[in-house]
Amino acid sequence: MKHKILAGIIIALFSTASYASIKDKKAVRAADTSISAEVDKVKAVCGNTSLDVKVDWEGYKKMIVANKDKLAKDNYQSQWVIAHSGQRTVATLEALSAICKDDVDYKEEIAKLTKINVTAKSDFSDSASDFSLSDNVLTVESGHKMSRSASDFAKKIKSLY
């Protein structure tokens, strides 16, 4: 009897872990799809010849594991963290498009971007996103807990130029 109960508990644990993993995979796929569509818009509006956006999903997984107690305290699920990162990345791209539409001088500089690297902040409680620019690479250290809109990031991006 004990073995049957123990086996049931083990199966339930693995089923839950697999289910969460599937939800995370679906969240990553959805985020990547949205990001890819927005990259095409930035290239069309800003004139970038190439623009590669790389989200460090492995880094997000590590951050989620390291902050599991904080996520649990807020009843927060890992796929929500992933979805919000995708939304924040799309908002960054929308901000770039909006800046290009509004100002030809910024457009000229933003058109030189070739890469955007997105990483997770290590502390889940940190909701601010930070931006840095080196040569033609924009680095975004993404905050957590909520989605953002393009207007939240435009001023920060402009300040890099």
Side-chain angles (χ1 to χ4, degrees):
M1 181 67 170
K2 284 183 182 178
H3 294 293
K4 287 183 180 181
I5 293 172
L6 185 57
I9 290 171
I10 291 171
I11 289 170
L13 287 174
F14 282 117
S15 296
T16 303
S18 295
Y19 186 63
S21 176
I22 290 169
K23 285 182 176 181
D24 289 353
K25 285 180 183 179
K26 288 184 179 293
V28 167
R29 192 174 303 114
D32 283 341
T33 299
S34 297
I35 292 165
S36 179
E38 203 60 42
V39 166
D40 291 341
K41 293 176 186 176
V42 170
K43 288 165 65 175
V45 172
C46 297
N48 304 70
T49 54
S50 70
L51 183 60
D52 180 41
V53 177
K54 173 74 175 139
V55 180
D56 180 12
W57 294 121
E58 288 303 314
Y60 273 90
K61 290 177 186 176
K62 290 175 185 174
M63 184 282 299
I64 289 166
V65 169
N67 286 268
K68 67 180 181 178
D69 293 337
K70 290 180 182 180
L71 271 75
K73 180 183 173 200
D74 290 346
N75 294 320
Y76 221 83
Q77 297 179 18
S78 57
Q79 68 268 22
W80 298 347
V81 174
I82 294 166
H84 284 157
S85 172
Q87 292 166 354
R88 282 173 175 249
T89 303
V90 167
T92 298
L93 294 164
E94 290 171 340
L96 290 168
S97 290
I99 293 166
C100 288
K101 286 178 186 175
D102 290 344
D103 191 307
V104 70
D105 295 322
Y106 280 106
K107 177 180 178 175
E108 191 174 293
E109 292 303 312
I110 290 172
K112 296 176 185 176
L113 281 178
T114 57
K115 189 169 186 89
I116 299 175
N117 293 320
V118 181
T119 60
K121 283 198 162 180
S122 59
D123 184 359
F124 177 70
S125 300
D126 191 345
S127 63
S129 289
D130 296 322
F131 298 83
S132 61
L133 184 65
S134 178
D135 296 321
N136 297 327
V137 179
L138 176 65
T139 300
V140 182
E141 191 179 10
S142 188
H144 309 289
K145 286 194 167 185
M146 62 191 77
S147 59
R148 293 288 184 190
S149 66
S151 62
D152 295 323
F153 296 147
K155 186 175 181 179
K156 287 183 175 184
I157 291 170
K158 280 184 166 183
S159 72
L160 300 174
Y161 291 95

